[in-house]
């Protein structure tokens, strides 16, 4: 689950992590009050969306008068912001954070992530922070430094000193940075985060460290013990199909391709997607219907798959263990009848009651291509979806 920048900054304040003073606007009528309480005659207007790259896309603007502030707020509020991190539609701007401008001397990159390779929380830093960090990472990877935290001893003084030295910080900045990193680590662990990215962390003209941006991701698997985080979740920023699938307890991730996959088991789902790619196709989604699937869930899964207009072919790949293939077959038939599906479906049923399942499909009125061999099934759905066959 992603937090908005303003939510991240509210969290920073609770952990004594220095950030800017600002207020959230959700309606233009609040503007005058906010401008009065936040700054004097200059403000930074920041669109709140779950995506970075706002600066380059016109979503972060410095304004020098109330009139300008008013114009920018009206331009942004209710619009969709397209950045290099969003899709072509962009993300809806439903709120705007208005904060005081900061006199920047230097922009640093600082992130804490859960690193799967080392199985540790990793501190990532770069002296070249700011809006071009992706380019720095690509062209000068040696400028991105990584420091894993040992989970038993936690963040160590020697490690902190090394990071400060690498960033070229003087003593005064180092003292601030060490406190900052300790506080972020504490917040990271207590709030079950999987990412904190501060880009930029700025050094101000009077040598103070301030977190100017905030990207915070909470580990979804820990939301059950972070009820406060759950309460501030902003569904308007999330993929509609993924949200719906989550409510139905289906494991679904939207992708860019055209071939929908319906599979049981995450491993098999990954293998199915790989196979589609290997044969030159593009999967439209990852979908693991899970082990306790029944006819109703298969129909719901089809509904989600078919609400994606890019989809022009469906590959169903079920390995029946606990799941019975005849139940899946009944679901496919039910979905086809209910939804009048007019795109090709290739089905591969293997394992428990596969024979009965295939029998059910053969005896029904639905047109489904059956293929026992997974390689052939993948090739078939690619061929059919390319043709636009029914
Ligand atoms: P994004 O990463 O989505 O582009 P940021 O919050 O990082 O958004 O803002 C982009 C850039 O705008 C920053 O790198 C910084 O240079 C500038 N900026 C952002 N907030 C402020 C502020 N309060 N004062 C001065 N400059 C700012
Ligand atoms: Mg940023």
């Amino acid at each position: 689950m992603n937090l908005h920048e303003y939510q991240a900054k509210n969290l920073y304040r609770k952990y004594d992590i220095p950030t800017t003073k600002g207020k959230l606007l959700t309606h233009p009528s609040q503007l005058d009050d906010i401008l009065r309480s936040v700054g004097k005659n200059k403000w930074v207007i920041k669109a709140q969306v779950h995506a970075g790259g706002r600066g380059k896309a016109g979503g972060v603007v410095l304004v020098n008068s109330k009139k300008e502030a008013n114009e920018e707020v009206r331009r942004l509020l209710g619009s969709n912001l397209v950045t290099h991190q969003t899709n072509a539609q962009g993300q809806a701007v439903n709120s705007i954070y208005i904060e005081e401008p900061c006199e920047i001397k230097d922009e640093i990159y600082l992130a804490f992530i859960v690193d799967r390779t080392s199985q540790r929380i990793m501190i990532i830093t770069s002296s070249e922070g700011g809006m071009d960090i992706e380019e720095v990472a690509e062209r000068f990877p040696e400028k991105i430094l990584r420091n894993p935290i040992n989970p038993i001893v936690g963040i160590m003084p020697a490690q902190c000193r090394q990071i400060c030295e690498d960033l070229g910080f003087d003593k005064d900045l180092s003292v601030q940075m060490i406190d900052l990193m300790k506080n972020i680590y504490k917040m990271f662990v207590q709030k079950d985060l999987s990412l904190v990215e501060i880009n930029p962390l700025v050094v101000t003209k009077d040598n103070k460290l301030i977190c100017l941006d905030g990207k915070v991701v909470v580990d979804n698997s820990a939301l059950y013990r972070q009820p406060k985080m759950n309460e501030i979740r902003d569904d308007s920023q999330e993929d509609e199909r993924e949200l719906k699938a989550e409510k139905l307890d289906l494991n679904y991730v939207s992708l860019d391709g055209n071939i929908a996959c319906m599979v049981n088991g995450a491993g098999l789902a990954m293998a199915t997607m790989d196979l589609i790619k290997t044969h030159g196709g593009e999967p439209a989604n990852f979908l693991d219907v899970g082990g306790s699937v029944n006819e109703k869930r298969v129909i719901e899964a089809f509904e989600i798959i078919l609400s994606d207009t890019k989809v022009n072919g469906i590959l169903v790949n079920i390995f029946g263990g606990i799941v019975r293939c005849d139940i899946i077959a009944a679901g496919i038939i039910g979905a086809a009848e209910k939804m009048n599906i007019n795109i090709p479906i290739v089905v591969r049923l293997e394992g428990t009651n596969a024979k009965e399942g295939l029998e059910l499909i053969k005896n029904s009125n639905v047109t489904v291509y059956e293929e026992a061999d997974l390689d052939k099934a993948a090739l078939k759905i690619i061929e059919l979806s390319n043709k636009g066959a029914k």
Side-chain angles (χ1 to χ4, degrees), residues 202-223:
V202 300
V203 179
T204 62
K205 293 217 166 118
D206 51 1
N207 222 33
K208 293 273 176 298
L209 279 182
I210 292 186
C211 299
L212 220 53
D213 195 4
K215 175 164 182 173
V216 169
V217 181
V218 189
D219 182 350
N220 277 0
S221 307
L223 281 177

Side-chain angles (χ1 to χ4, degrees), residues 255-267:
L255 298 167
D256 293 332
N258 59 319
I259 298 174
C261 316
M262 194 172 106
V263 188
N264 68 320

Side-chain angles (χ1 to χ4, degrees), residues 44 46 52-55 99-102 104 107 131 199-200 212-213:
V44 182
K46 306 183 85 172
R54 296 166 303 164
E99 64 180 14
E100 49 185 18
C102 171
I104 303 172
E107 297 199 337
M131 293 198 278
N199 185 36
L212 220 53
D213 195 4

